[in-house]
Amino acid sequence: MKILAVDTSTASGSIALMNGLSVKAEGILQSNLTHNRLLLKNIHFLLIQAEWTLSQVDAFAVTTGPGSFTGIRIGLTTMKTLAWTMKKPYLGIPSLDALAAPFSFCSLPVCCVIDARKHEIYGALYRPDRAGGGLHRVEDYRVLPPERMAAGIQEPTLFCGDGWLVYRDVFKEILGEKALEAPGPCHVLRAGFVAELARVRFEAGEREDPLSSVPLYVRPSDAELHHPPSHG
């Protein structure tokens, strides 16, 4: 199965083309330009480099959040539109799950954190699955100050994500040697792992209706905070 996967939930946009177990092409770019000015152009560029046409893509996957509200909307709208118009399988993948995916064989808990601005992070804790291998999420996706996230860590834990890069000193001050740092490249959410998570679910027969796929914001938008829905 040929999968086109995209992440626009973080500052580092990422696109990947995966064929079966092989990543055919992958691109990561952190830019001051918004994702809507880069996404379709970079999808087109990667398809050319891989010598694929869009019609050869069998399925589409995209991160649904949490992360940048604007970025999530851009990625979701683009990929939902492609899947719907081409009548191809589609799946949404939570951003934090994709961030955790490179550590599927880690023996330590993994704490994935994405910068949420306003001195908050989006975070989730994952633990090794001793029986089946890989990681499983042990709590809901959360938005909270980094100090509160750190306060819940009781054992040596591996941290990854751009939230770690922003609040590294905070985590280190509170947790000391309990806070273990993933290698630099692991703080970037890679679309290749979005594609891999989607591949496993596609092969298990899972599909989503692109028209009903919704963002996973976790935190209310500023518009919702300033103008809450009226009742009555």
Side-chain angles (χ1 to χ4, degrees), residues 140-157:
D140 290 336
Y141 308 109
R142 298 191 289 165
V143 58
L144 70 173
E147 292 87 353
R148 280 183 53 201
M149 191 79 187
I153 303 296
Q154 305 297 324
E155 60 190 305
T157 299

Side-chain angles (χ1 to χ4, degrees), residues 15-129:
I15 303 167
L17 302 175
M18 189 167 185
N19 188 8
L21 292 172
S22 174
V23 175
K24 179 72 172 176
E26 186 175 30
I28 300 170
L29 177 64
Q30 184 160 353
S31 170
N32 292 327
L33 298 176
T34 57
H35 288 303
N36 66 330
R37 295 182 60 184
L38 295 172
L39 182 56
L40 286 174
K41 181 196 306 184
N42 287 336
I43 288 174
H44 179 66
F45 173 80
L46 213 62
L47 286 167
I48 290 174
Q49 301 310 307
E51 299 182 337
W52 286 13
T53 63
L54 189 59
S55 63
Q56 290 177 308
V57 173
D58 298 312
F60 297 89
V62 63
T63 47
T64 56
S68 160
F69 288 3
T70 301
I72 292 167
R73 286 195 297 270
I74 291 167
L76 266 174
T77 300
T78 301
M79 300 301 279
K80 287 168 59 174
T81 300
L82 289 174
W84 183 77
T85 56
M86 298 178 67
K87 295 179 171 47
K88 299 288 183 71
Y90 163 90
L91 281 173
I93 302 295
S95 309
L96 291 165
D97 290 1
L99 192 56
F103 305 101
S104 59
F105 296 101
C106 188
S107 60
L108 296 174
V110 177
C111 185
C112 297
V113 288
I114 293 174
D115 183 20
R117 313 287 179 141
K118 303 178 182 179
H119 198 77
E120 289 186 322
I121 54 173
Y122 299 111
L125 186 67
Y126 300 78
R127 291 188 180 277
D129 183 346

Side-chain angles (χ1 to χ4, degrees), residues 216-227:
L216 177 63
Y217 284 143
V218 179
R219 179 170 69 189
S221 68
D222 288 340
E224 292 171 313
L225 291 172
H226 295 153
H227 303 285

